[in-house]
Amino acid sequence: MKLYCDFKENGCQIIMKLSQRKYHLEVCSFAPVQCPNVGCQKKPLKMAIRDHLESCPHRLVTCDRGCGQTLIHHQMASHNCIHELVAIIKNMKMVYTEDIKNLRQEISNLKDEIIVNRCDGTIHRESVSSSISCKESRDCDNFLEMMERAPSFPRLAPLHTQMKLPSVNRKKDSKK
């Protein structure tokens, strides 16, 4: 049995056997295909999809006026680079402000409770604001003084005592 292509009305002139129909319908250039651009309802022929994608009003474009934003082509006429960039900066500021707030809280928490691995090998919690000293070594005293001045050092406290790092304050050592 011989059949015409389902897309004969679109211009396909192929006549095929029934056994060839399924394959032909998958590859037929006259088959309509849905435009992949969000919002576009057009269904150009498979052979014309490339031309349609180049002119589709729903295609994504990059602003060439200076901001480099990606937007839908039909929005380009009303696009304002300054407005878009101000909105991006405001959003970034909100995100970074929240990050800074969280980091400050984390620093505060770490300052309040530092796990100090003393030179004698015991682990305990101490408050940075209280007097912390290690009976075993003057190096720990120097390190802990430095921790109180720099918020990033609390994470290093256990490492310091495990490695038995040399004294940080050499002038103090030379006087002792």
Side-chain angles (χ1 to χ4, degrees), residues 114-118 124 126-128 130-135 137-150 153-154 156-158 160-161 168:
I114 298 174
I115 298 176
V116 178
N117 184 356
R118 288 196 168 182
H124 61 93
E126 294 277 353
S127 171
V128 173
S130 68
S131 168
I132 302 174
S133 62
C134 179
K135 298 172 187 170
S137 169
R138 69 179 183 271
D139 294 339
C140 290
D141 292 331
N142 293 332
F143 182 75
L144 292 170
E145 285 174 24
M146 203 166 85
M147 280 189 343
E148 289 176 347
R149 285 184 254 133
F153 283 119
L156 302 176
H160 161 72
T161 53
V168 179

Side-chain angles (χ1 to χ4, degrees), residues 36-54:
N37 292 323
V38 176
C40 184
Q41 300 302 313
K42 293 194 176 186
K43 292 185 176 184
L45 300 183
K46 194 179 283 186
M47 70 172 89
I49 189 71
R50 192 170 283 170
D51 292 336
H52 171 75
L53 291 175
E54 289 176 8

Side-chain angles (χ1 to χ4, degrees), residues 63-89:
C63 175
D64 58 1
R65 298 179 197 160
C67 73
Q69 283 287 111
T70 300
L71 55 145
I72 299 171
H73 182 265
H74 70 81
Q75 295 173 336
M76 194 66 182
S78 62
H79 172 67
N80 181 329
C81 291
I82 294 172
H83 175 73
E84 293 295 324
L85 293 173
V86 166
I88 289 170
I89 290 170

